[in-house]
Amino acid sequence: FLKPGEQSIAGNSALKISKGDIEKATAWKNGYFYFSNDSLEPVLEQISRWYDLKIIYKTKIPQIHIRGIIRKKVKLSEALQMLKDVSNLSFEIDGKNLIVN
């Protein structure tokens, strides 16, 4: 049984119960991306899914972690600018492709 504030994660043969990140788990229903020390690659994956894009990596992704909130109502260009500011990467849109330079 889970208590309020806990989450369960399915493992190989058992369920692991741990303290849940309520803010992160409910961010989608509140209309924003919530990043709490997330690696850049999963952040880009979330952004690309939301905007229906395929990611093409032209460079190695820096090993940085992102913390913050981005409203899902922002334009793609604004979201990418925020990520550019913290990662020093550049982004290009070509049709349905998000090219990471």
Side-chain angles (χ1 to χ4, degrees):
F1 292 97
L2 293 176
K3 297 175 189 163
E6 291 181 334
Q7 68 180 4
S8 177
I9 299 174
N12 292 337
S13 62
L15 293 175
K16 179 183 174 189
I17 296 175
S18 62
K19 183 178 177 183
D21 186 341
I22 304 303
E23 187 75 21
K24 186 170 190 144
T26 60
W28 65 272
K29 76 172 190 64
N30 295 324
Y32 57 89
F33 300 104
Y34 179 87
F35 307 118
S36 62
N37 206 30
D38 296 342
S39 297
L40 188 54
E41 194 165 353
V43 169
L44 289 172
E45 288 171 7
Q46 282 188 53
I47 298 289
S48 70
R49 276 194 308 268
W50 180 254
Y51 292 99
D52 193 25
L53 298 168
K54 178 184 173 189
I55 303 174
I56 299 173
Y57 294 101
K58 298 278 184 162
T59 187
K60 186 177 182 217
I61 301 302
Q63 295 299 313
I64 63 170
H65 292 84
I66 306 293
R67 177 170 280 160
I69 294 171
I70 300 176
R71 293 236 168 254
K72 289 186 172 182
K73 291 182 180 182
V74 302
K75 294 178 185 176
L76 174 60
S77 59
E78 293 176 68
L80 294 177
Q81 183 61 49
M82 291 178 210
L83 293 174
K84 179 182 178 183
D85 291 344
V86 298
S87 69
N88 291 321
L89 292 172
S90 65
F91 303 97
E92 183 181 329
I93 304 297
D94 182 19
K96 287 290 199 172
N97 295 320
L98 170 60
I99 302 168
V100 181
N101 295 306

